[in-house]
Amino acid sequence: MIIVLLGPPGAGKGTQADKLAARLGIPKIATGDVLRAALRDGTPRGREAKAFMDRGDLVPDSVILAILQDVMSSPATEKGAILDGAVRTVPQAQGVGIMLAEVGRRIDKVLLFDIGDRKLISRLSGRTVCGQCQTPYKDREPGSKCEKCGGSLMRRQDDEPDAVRNRLDVYRAQTEPVVEYYKGIEMEPVKIDADADVDEVTARALKALEPE
Ligand code: AMP
């Protein structure tokens, strides 16, 4: 099963992608995590992406499509994948569609996590993440220890207020049209109200994934 998760930054896509991946037994593919790992490792891809990421801008489609080509052709995604924040522009949506069609696969479901701007801003401004495994925490100070891996918690540079505002503008301008694109190819995203506690949102997402 190939599932695309759409929604603004701070909607909880990453947390839900982890939960859905565990429940469905398929991996989560988060391009943001892949890029942050490339940045930490100092690879050319990471160096190319850094300035875009720090500002909260999108990295070029060619970089994202190359990452998706790598992961979707790996045995790890044979049974499917949860694509978390991996499709953020119409050219990316088209590119992923073509890439999958070439190997006789297709997207099964698109979920759209929906939540108001005020909630997003307050979530992102209170968030710290583990520098190693990327687990997000609310209301924990930078420097605290990650419960999962013992790594040190930090604030993401793109969770600073200016970058957050830019990320929301970028979402409206470049990612919202992806919703219309999927509607146009009869793959209408299923809207999930994401303003609820984590388990409730997971239950809503799982319900949306049940066969019709
Ligand atoms: P995220 O962790 O999903 O919030 O992603 C962090 C940053 O990585 C984004 O603000 C973008 O700069 C970059 N990024 C991640 N995924 C994509 C994508 N599909 N297209 C373009 N840029 C992306």
Side-chain angles (χ1 to χ4, degrees):
M1 196 176 205
I2 300 178
I3 303 165
V4 170
L5 304 189
L6 299 177
K13 293 186 301 295
T15 304
Q16 293 303 327
D18 283 332
K19 297 246 171 202
L20 295 175
R23 285 291 290 269
L24 303 172
I26 51 179
K28 149 176 147 172
I29 307 299
T31 37
D33 290 349
V34 174
L35 289 167
R36 278 184 292 276
L39 229 155
R40 271 198 309 276
D41 296 345
T43 67
R45 192 179 269 169
R47 284 199 297 275
E48 186 183 350
K50 181 175 176 9
F52 295 98
M53 294 176 75
D54 285 350
R55 287 194 301 267
D57 284 334
L58 296 184
V59 307
D61 291 334
S62 57
V63 174
I64 298 301
L65 288 170
I67 292 173
L68 291 174
Q69 184 72 261
D70 285 353
V71 291
M72 294 313 292
S73 59
S74 120
T77 57
E78 232 164 45
K79 282 204 257 157
I82 315 263
L83 300 180
D84 163 20
V87 181
R88 296 195 195 195
T89 66
V90 171
Q92 288 177 17
Q94 290 166 329
V96 172
I98 292 168
M99 185 187 294
L100 292 173
E102 277 169 358
V103 290
R105 304 176 81 181
R106 65 192 296 272
I107 290 167
D108 294 283
K109 208 74 164 191
V110 182
L111 303 183
L112 170 62
F113 291 91
D114 188 39
I115 187 163
D117 277 10
R118 274 182 41 201
K119 200 59 181 268
L120 295 176
I121 292 168
S122 86
R123 277 191 187 178
L124 292 173
S125 56
R127 168 168 91 169
T128 47
V129 297
C130 173
Q132 277 183 55
C133 74
Q134 314 283 325
T135 299
Y137 291 87
K138 39 181 179 180
D139 307 327
R140 291 277 191 92
E141 289 302 311
S144 319
K145 276 217 153 74
C146 172
E147 278 170 18
K148 261 197 194 162
C149 75
S152 182
L153 305 191
M154 48 177 262
R155 278 191 60 75
R156 274 173 49 171
Q157 191 153 348
D158 61 353
D159 281 346
E160 297 300 336
D162 281 350
V164 166
R165 272 190 290 276
N166 189 37
R167 284 161 71 200
L168 289 175
D169 289 345
V170 165
Y171 176 76
R172 304 275 176 250
Q174 299 193 59
T175 309
E176 276 188 354
V178 174
V179 175
E180 295 307 314
Y181 169 79
Y182 280 124
K183 280 185 190 166
I185 60 163
E186 289 169 31
M187 180 56 70
E188 175 148 1
V190 182
K191 218 185 232 190
I192 312 276
D193 178 359
D195 191 1
D197 80 61
V198 171
D199 291 337
E200 172 57 27
V201 178
T202 308
R204 290 175 186 170
L206 286 168
K207 183 137 189 34
L209 295 174
E210 282 171 5
E212 280 140 32

